[in-house]
Amino acid sequence: MSLWEKTQRLQGDALDQLRNIYTQCFPIEVRHYCAQWIEEQPWDGVDTYNNQHEKMATNLLKSLLREVEVRAKSLAPNDFVTKLKLEEAMGYLREHYGRNPLNFVQIVKTMLETERHLVDLAEHPHPVDATASTSQIKSGQNGVMLQQFELLQKGTKVTDSDLNILQHEQESFVILYQEKYQIEEAIARQIGSPTEPRLRQRKEQVDQNLSQKANSILEKRMLLAKKHLESVQHLEKVQNSVLNEHLMAWRRNQQLSGNGVPFFNNLDQIQQWCELLGDCILQNRQQLQRVEALRTQLPIPMEPQQDLLPSLNAKVTALLSSLVTSTFIVERQPPQVMKVSNKFSCSVRLLVGSKLNVHLTPPKVTGTIISESQANALIKGDKTAISNSAGVIVNNAGLMEYNQAAKQLVVNFRNMALKTVKRSERKKHQEAVTEEKFCLLFQSKFNVANEMTFQVWTLSLPVVVIVHGSQEAQATAVIMWDNAFAELGRVPFEVPKEVLWKQLAEQLNFKFKSQIGTGLCDEHLRFLAAKLLGRKEDTLEDLSNVKVSRSRFHKENLIDRKFTFWEWFFDAMKLVKDHLQDLWNNGCVHGFLAKQTAQDWLLQKPPGTFLLRLSDSILGGVTIAWIRQDPESDIREVLSIQPYTSKDFQIRSCANRIRDLAENLFLLYPDIPRDQAFGKFYTATDHRPPLGGDYVPSDLHTTIPGFQGRARSVTPGFSVQSPHSPESVHDPRSVVSNQSEMTTGPNDMDFTDADTSPENMDRWLTEESLGSFEPTNADAAISQNELYNILYPQPGNYMPSH
């Protein structure tokens, strides 16, 4: 029998727990109709915390979507509603897990683990010993927690049963005591009568029974107090695990996700655990209140050291207070780089709101911005430090709303905006404003059971406030370092001054991958290490113990550069995201690569082989390096085009520029034909608005002066020839690409028979027609490339293009 068939037989609480899984995380229709397929997949083979397993997770998600589609198409026509539900489920899976397949796999694994655990409990109802090791429990982390809660619930039921017995015995004592009172009254009325001895004998028996019952009640009270103590201690242990391990880990993972680290959002699962804790705490609290009421009705004296009730009440109240205050959290963080006057959104959630019936009177939540020093004082218990905020936020108040379907008590702030901010004097004069950290403080107040009032607050992750886009890079560096290396329980918002390179490299990779889609390889990271450390790659030893300071990461300029490492990396990442993302994800951009390494690679390849390398000397630039062989001297050399920046690609895309240079660029390194690599990215036009009226349309093309020739197409298996050029080039080391506008139409100029005298050549050059000029006089006194260099000298070792 399959797992799903067994799961469908669950009843009672087990069925309720199962329903909670499928409420938000996974469509139950998919689980039902694809049950066999789901149970046959190698889910355990995917490590959801290993970034390299993302491809496996993506394949599993795609396969499941295909399976759902097949199932939907195979349904009979009268199953129209089911078909619609399956189609909606496909949309849900794409929307929620399309960009995070590892989260999808983790959800499925948790789902199957929970099913196996519930089925196992149903088939083998004997509870597992609480001291059993984790390795002995088959159902995983969630199963372990559920078993702990079952033990708590069992202990609560035992104490409740003992309390009922105690209450029944105390009621019997009261009835017997009333009988004694009646007998004493009868004796007083019948003194000297024949029935007096019998009454006195009965009174002695009643007194003896009362004494025995009183001792029995006292023993039961003490025994019940010990059981309550065990339950409370167990509650405290489980609550510490939920709040200080799982919820704290969720908070830490949420912070790491700000750097692009894959985030398994199991907050719904944690809420389920918190609600179970809330149930157990409230039940124990109610039982202790009943015990106190029984003791008030029948005050049997006991030794003070034996009276555990006062301490039990205090502990349970403390547990409830800790649970409520700790589960008031920022579910969706505000932007950590916050620009003044820009709108932003965030949300705050109370995980135990429904269990405490807080949602019946929705509490108001307000958000303010406070400084690092204020956050520090608040953590230490000084609430007076936040009497004044560090700025003004508009639309900063809202009521918590209860989502019945999701069973969540949440307040969504959709239109908040930071109007003004007050910076500290120390920051103003000693450090850049992007070094100063703030955070958002959210506060609320509500009653529980009309007897306890809670004032709760929570802090957002650190934010850096900027007023101009030019500050974004440095602000992002501060936040990235904080997110990556903040320690649990730190003093707000302290971070280490230096970290291991391998830790920083991991964060750079996550950040880049979250922005682009494909991460950095070992060669990229080694080049980045060399650049950051100011050394050559071939001199780098084992990097496992090399440390990097925060100052070197984003404060100090690189050697012989006027910018920091982070500024360079940030602009390179932005260029790839804005203009080269598809090319990067398809392996068309070699990216972070040293110039010398590129030359070494290309010198081993046939002429016309090229690669795209991110410039290491220009912010946000990418250059095309290619191997060229002079047709006359057979000299082979590697040339690099002056780097293109975002402004260049706004005019003409990278793929189209490469197509324009077809006479120079044949094979993408190592040996991929140009059109095969870039063909699907070619476009007819580049963001040029349609012409109106009687205008003749025109197009832009990239050319390299002095290297024009007939464009060639390349097919696999052919012998690449060096491009023919009518002019000799005097060992140029680099070229600058240029743009020429070629007007098409009946009035096109034909330069085939044009006068190639220096005067006319000069006229054409100054009219920016150089890209379309090809001299026919082989005996010209000066070459086109030489003339261009005279007219338009270029700095550095790059060749011009236009």
Side-chain angles (χ1 to χ4, degrees), residues 458-704:
T458 187
L459 299 177
S460 74
L461 294 176
V463 301
V464 173
V465 179
I466 64 175
V467 296
H468 192 273
S470 61
Q471 299 171 320
E472 181 183 2
Q474 281 301 322
T476 303
V478 172
I479 290 300
M480 179 179 172
W481 191 277
D482 192 286
N483 287 343
F485 309 117
E487 297 180 356
L488 294 176
R490 65 171 174 171
V491 175
F493 294 107
E494 290 186 355
V495 290
K497 293 182 179 180
E498 62 178 14
V499 297
L500 292 173
W501 159 251
K502 61 181 181 181
Q503 295 175 311
L504 180 58
E506 182 182 38
Q507 294 300 314
L508 290 173
N509 181 39
F510 281 130
K511 186 69 175 180
F512 193 89
K513 183 175 181 180
S514 68
Q515 297 292 311
I516 311 304
T518 302
L520 305 172
C521 64
D522 292 339
E523 291 176 348
H524 292 150
L525 294 174
R526 190 167 183 82
F527 169 72
L528 293 176
K531 190 168 184 66
L532 179 58
L533 299 173
R535 296 157 61 180
K536 294 183 178 180
E537 290 186 60
D538 54 7
T539 65
L540 291 178
E541 67 278 3
D542 182 18
L543 294 171
S544 58
N545 295 318
V546 174
K547 289 189 175 182
V548 178
S549 68
R550 186 165 75 97
S551 179
R552 172 167 286 193
F553 173 63
H554 73 94
K555 292 183 179 181
E556 301 173 2
N557 285 347
L558 293 170
I559 298 176
D560 298 329
R561 297 288 183 260
K562 295 183 179 181
F563 46 79
T564 66
F565 170 83
W566 173 255
E567 289 172 332
W568 171 78
F569 180 84
F570 181 84
D571 281 13
M573 182 170 60
K574 190 174 188 303
L575 176 73
V576 175
K577 180 181 179 181
D578 293 344
H579 301 287
L580 304 174
Q581 186 171 5
D582 290 338
L583 296 180
W584 181 283
N585 290 330
N586 281 270
C588 298
V589 182
H590 284 79
F592 298 104
L593 186 69
K595 184 175 183 179
Q596 186 60 50
T597 303
Q599 291 180 352
D600 294 341
W601 286 2
L602 292 172
L603 285 173
Q604 301 175 14
K605 295 297 178 179
T609 304
F610 68 99
L611 57 80
L612 276 70
R613 180 181 67 85
L614 290 167
S615 173
D616 58 357
S617 60
I618 295 179
L619 291 175
V622 62
T623 183
I624 301 174
W626 87 97
I627 179 69
R628 175 184 178 273
Q629 180 172 326
D630 189 284
E632 296 181 359
S633 63
D634 290 335
I635 296 177
R636 290 164 54 86
E637 58 185 350
V638 176
L639 306 177
S640 296
I641 296 179
Q642 183 175 335
Y644 297 113
T645 63
S646 179
K647 291 182 179 179
D648 297 312
F649 292 138
Q650 288 174 4
I651 299 172
R652 188 157 179 80
S653 70
C654 182
N656 283 355
R657 289 177 181 272
I658 290 174
R659 179 178 57 180
D660 294 343
L661 301 177
E663 68 271 23
N664 304 110
L665 312 179
F666 303 147
L667 295 171
L668 176 65
Y669 184 88
D671 53 8
I672 306 173
R674 178 197 61 246
D675 293 339
Q676 178 180 326
F678 294 91
K680 58 184 175 181
F681 304 112
Y682 296 155
T683 57
T685 58
D686 277 302
H687 314 294
R688 294 172 65 83
L691 296 173
D694 297 329
Y695 288 108
V696 177
S698 64
D699 196 5
L700 295 174
H701 291 275
T702 302
T703 60
I704 304 175

Side-chain angles (χ1 to χ4, degrees), residues 777-791:
N777 183 3
D779 298 324
I782 184 170
S783 71
Q784 177 182 336
N785 190 55
E786 291 171 327
L787 184 55
Y788 189 95
N789 287 334
I790 293 172
L791 294 173

